[in-house]
Amino acid sequence: MKTFHNPHQALHQGQQEMFRGRLVPCHEVPARLDFVLNELQRRPLGALEIPMVADTELEAAIARVHTQRYTDFLASAWDHWVAMDPANAQRDVLPSVWPLSNQHAFRADVLPTNFAARLGLFAFDAGSPLMAGTWMAARGGAACAVAAAREVLGGARSAFALTRPPGHHAGPDFLGGYCFLNNAAIAAQALVDGGESRVAVLDVDYHHGNGTQTIFYERADVLTVSVHGDPMTEYPFFLGHADERGAGPGTGFNLNLPLPRGTGFAAWRAALDQGLQAVKDFGAGALVVPMGLDTFEGDPISGFTLKTEDYLAVGEALASAGLPTVFTFEGGYAVDAVGVNAVNLLEGFERAA
Ligand code: SP5
Ligand code: ZN
């Protein structure tokens, strides 16, 4: 399996995230990727490549998933932040005012001139700092997703987009949950555009993949499945319930499998099997796996108890779908374990594939 790696990832390096009234050190740090790269060096799965994607192709792939006004915002966010106050050059961009949802009469159709207001319009939390290198890093990650999709369309059994920042919380026109561009959705859409008539996304991150769900919610050609911590108690809280089954032509093409905090491998694995059965019933021709390793027992912000050796079995189970598969890298904040856990999953997949 080839790994596509984003050489600009370290440009995205947040200082602090807001958590219950305090600024705390960021969990989503560049070292996460270094641990994966080190482990891939120790246990190579295949070539490590920098994605070769032309700017025009990348922009087109991003535009299939995200709105123009959102990507314009992301591309210029840092410059506008510094323009508000030159001292902002020392601070990460974080929002502090929000329009709520349109159910509360605030308007989302008018784009405020004030940058802090625009930030609140596009960000759903204050835990996702943006800085000078974020746009470059996020684009580099999206390029990995496009390259991985292309690899699979070319006949490869699998490909790994080693993306950072992560992507599955980012929606058509919003950021949050450390995510800016939805790499998994970009890969899934690239697979559709490359000729796959049915693509499944099976999200195994601890947190519900709300961005991916929202992007494909009204579509019948992309099935979205997510196994995650119950949003009644777990982030992102406002989406991810079992009764969200899709809408319009997409009705029946979204499946959420929420599990209580504290769930261990046996019950988690049973939910994964249910997800895999849905992928099979759908008749998918290709699979995208937003691969979060924050289901790990040692994860500092999550609540499942998977162990390092369990990830081999997770990879094996995913391979049993028998589909060309793109992996994107999502969460996993037990930094010194994330490399071993990620490579275990991928190695388990390769062994069984
Ligand atoms: C991609 C992904 O896994 N995003 C997860 C975003 C979770 N953001 C909220 C985390 C709450 C952090 N809690 C800090 C605890 C400090 N002791
Ligand atoms: Zn997560």
Side-chain angles (χ1 to χ4, degrees):
M1 166 179 343
K2 268 190 194 172
T3 296
F4 293 96
H5 166 243
N6 157 17
H8 301 306
Q9 62 93 12
L11 297 173
H12 178 69
Q13 180 154 201
Q15 300 170 50
Q16 293 172 309
E17 58 184 84
M18 177 68 84
F19 178 66
R20 300 184 188 164
R22 286 180 299 145
L23 286 167
V24 301
C26 283
H27 294 281
E28 203 290 291
V29 293
R32 298 175 60 243
L33 225 81
D34 301 333
F35 276 91
V36 179
L37 287 169
N38 287 343
E39 192 62 19
L40 281 172
Q41 212 159 51
R42 229 172 55 79
R43 288 190 281 158
L45 297 171
L48 182 66
E49 289 184 11
I50 291 169
M52 292 294 176
V53 181
D55 279 355
T56 48
E57 191 191 346
L58 178 60
E59 272 147 32
I62 293 171
R64 294 286 286 144
V65 161
H66 295 287
T67 65
Q68 183 73 38
R69 89 171 189 169
Y70 175 60
T71 52
D72 286 349
F73 163 80
L74 281 182
S76 62
W78 179 255
D79 291 345
H80 286 290
W81 175 249
V82 175
M84 288 193 102
D85 176 355
N88 275 355
Q90 306 308 315
R91 302 176 189 124
D92 292 344
V93 182
L94 281 180
S96 53
V97 61
W98 286 273
L100 292 175
S101 72
N102 51 17
Q103 290 154 30
H104 302 279
F106 278 114
R107 292 183 62 173
D109 59 323
V110 182
L111 208 52
T113 306
N114 183 290
F115 175 74
R118 277 212 308 287
L119 181 57
L121 190 62
F122 292 115
F124 71 83
D125 71 11
S128 310
L130 184 155
M131 66 251 30
T134 300
W135 178 235
M136 186 83 136
R139 276 172 60 101
C144 293
V146 171
R150 202 199 268 155
E151 179 76 7
V152 156
L153 285 166
R157 173 71 165 86
S158 60
F160 177 31
L162 181 44
T163 47
R164 193 190 155 269
H168 76 148
H169 294 301
D173 58 357
F174 57 83
L175 66 91
Y178 318 147
C179 302
F180 301 86
L181 294 177
N182 194 316
N183 303 308
I186 289 167
Q189 184 62 50
L191 290 167
V192 170
D193 292 340
E196 287 295 344
S197 53
R198 286 168 176 232
V199 175
V201 179
L202 178 47
D203 190 321
V204 298
D205 188 279
Y206 179 75
H207 305 96
H208 174 244
N210 64 290
T212 322
Q213 171 172 316
T214 297
I215 287 165
F216 296 115
Y217 205 60
E218 297 187 20
R219 287 178 45 179
D221 56 343
V222 179
L223 171 75
T224 43
V225 181
S226 181
V227 182
H228 52 266
D230 187 341
M232 289 299 278
T233 60
E234 306 308 299
Y235 186 92
F237 306 116
F238 308 115
L239 208 64
H241 299 281
D243 65 352
E244 298 154 13
R245 298 306 314 268
T251 303
F253 299 103
N254 184 74
L255 177 63
N256 285 328
L257 299 163
L259 297 167
R261 194 179 180 84
T263 294
F265 184 55
W268 187 89
R269 174 65 215 263
L272 183 70
D273 283 343
Q274 222 181 308
L276 283 163
Q277 186 60 48
V279 170
K280 200 173 162 191
D281 295 344
F282 174 62
L287 178 65
V288 176
V289 178
M291 185 181 73
L293 291 310
D294 40 12
T295 49
F296 179 53
E297 59 179 348
D299 197 274
I301 67 168
S302 308
F304 293 162
T305 62
L306 272 65
K307 300 186 190 321
T308 290
E309 59 272 21
D310 294 333
Y311 291 100
L312 287 161
V314 176
E316 253 174 65
L318 291 168
S320 76
L323 295 170
T325 302
V326 170
F327 294 91
T328 60
F329 188 58
E330 305 290 343
Y333 309 102
V335 177
D336 53 357
V338 79
V340 179
N341 292 343
V343 178
N344 268 8
L345 191 155
L346 298 171
E347 195 183 301
F349 180 95
E350 287 235 296
R351 266 195 232 157

